[in-house]
Amino acid sequence: MNNSVLQSALREWTRLGRSPRLWATFAIVVSIFVAIGPSGTIEDMGLVERAAFWTLLHGAAWTVAILVITLADHWLAQYLRSQALLLAATALVAAPFVAAVVELMRWSWAGTEPSLASYGRQLLVCLPLSVLFSLLSHLTMSNAPSASVSSRGSEDPEPKPTEDEPPPLLARLKPALRAPLVHLTVEDHYTVVTTTKGRQLVLMRFSDALREVGSIPGLQTHRSHWVAVSHVAGLKNSGSRLHVVLKSGAEVPVSRSFAAHVRDRIGET
């Protein structure tokens, strides 16, 4: 695992740790478990011991789940475009780890000896909890309301922002590069942002970068490429491959899943 993944994951862990939504949900879930006392804890433990047990158990389980989900999210994001599939996949990856933590906590605290059967039961219980962890992680890490890019292309064109309302993405760039956006692409776990004054690598997910282009009319040509419509010169066929040609002369690949949408949009400009 390279350093860029760990650096990006560390930033997300820090943001998650500061999330009021995460802590409020944690408190509610723990309170429910303390009140109900599942797994025989209401008969075997007093209120104080039960509160300590479920707080420590959930604390350990949530910590492991969020660490695993964050890392899995970075690894799987390059293969899964759908947020729903990504959420489900990260939950499936995390569930076995969470179940193992729960079994170890029960063994160390209550002396309940682990077995394959008990681990299987814990896995079934921990799967929906992992979905909750994954959902919380995605909601917390979202930088904007859930206006996502469709599988056929970019959002519908909107009026260009005024000079007083630059796209949020520009604030991440060096001042010397803050100019009209031209092209976004993916390089490892970075997004490469190209403006009319140059390019810069920004440590953020491509999906988050797309949300920060603001109301600039744009066009997604590939799962890892976006172009500003105003900087498109035309289309070019290279054998069986289609490319968008920018006014700078650069060529941006068009994947088959985006080809029809690209042709429609370029034909209208």
Side-chain angles (χ1 to χ4, degrees), residues 94-251:
F97 294 93
V98 178
V101 169
V102 172
E103 281 289 275
L104 289 174
M105 280 292 298
R106 284 165 51 85
W107 183 28
S108 62
W109 189 291
T112 305
E113 188 173 349
S115 66
L116 286 177
S118 64
Y119 177 76
R121 289 192 295 271
Q122 291 301 334
L123 190 59
L124 291 176
V125 173
C126 290
L127 184 56
L129 285 176
S130 295
V131 173
L132 171 64
F133 302 144
S134 185
L135 179 60
L136 282 170
S137 299
H138 281 80
L139 288 175
T140 302
M141 294 312 301
S142 177
N143 292 327
S146 57
S148 59
V149 178
S150 71
S151 60
R152 291 295 304 272
S154 65
E155 299 171 340
D156 292 335
E158 299 287 345
K160 293 183 180 180
T162 65
E163 292 182 357
D164 295 331
E165 297 176 331
L169 186 59
L170 290 185
R172 298 178 180 270
L173 304 182
K174 298 175 182 178
L177 297 179
R178 293 174 187 172
L181 291 173
V182 177
H183 179 215
L184 304 181
T185 188
V186 175
E187 186 171 311
D188 197 5
H189 292 279
Y190 290 81
T191 295
V192 182
V193 181
T194 301
T195 71
T196 55
K197 292 186 177 180
R199 65 198 296 269
Q200 180 180 326
L201 272 69
V202 178
L203 185 57
M204 67 186 305
R205 292 184 295 190
F206 186 64
S207 58
D208 292 335
L210 290 178
R211 295 187 184 99
E212 292 196 4
V213 300
S215 56
I216 295 177
L219 180 65
Q220 189 171 358
T221 68
H222 188 279
R223 69 179 184 182
S224 56
H225 287 275
W226 175 95
V227 296
V229 171
S230 61
H231 292 275
V232 172
L235 294 176
K236 176 182 178 181
N237 282 297
S238 300
S240 60
R241 303 299 299 272
L242 181 66
H243 289 79
V244 168
V245 181
L246 301 180
K247 292 179 180 178
S248 64
E251 296 182 6

Side-chain angles (χ1 to χ4, degrees), residues 27-109:
I28 292 170
V29 172
V30 170
S31 298
I32 292 172
F33 273 74
V34 172
I36 296 174
S39 302
T41 55
I42 197 164
E43 295 90 2
D44 300 337
M45 301 178 184
L47 178 61
V48 174
E49 184 182 4
R50 197 161 67 247
F53 172 77
W54 287 116
T55 299
L56 289 174
L57 187 147
H58 278 282
W62 285 48
T63 299
V64 169
I66 289 171
L67 293 179
V68 173
I69 285 168
T70 306
L71 291 172
D73 183 76
H74 280 280
W75 178 57
L76 293 172
Q78 57 186 316
Y79 304 107
L80 301 175
R81 288 211 313 259
S82 168
Q83 283 295 315
L85 286 177
L86 187 59
L87 187 149
T90 54
L92 287 173
V93 171
F97 294 93
V98 178
V101 169
V102 172
E103 281 289 275
L104 289 174
M105 280 292 298
R106 284 165 51 85
W107 183 28
S108 62
W109 189 291

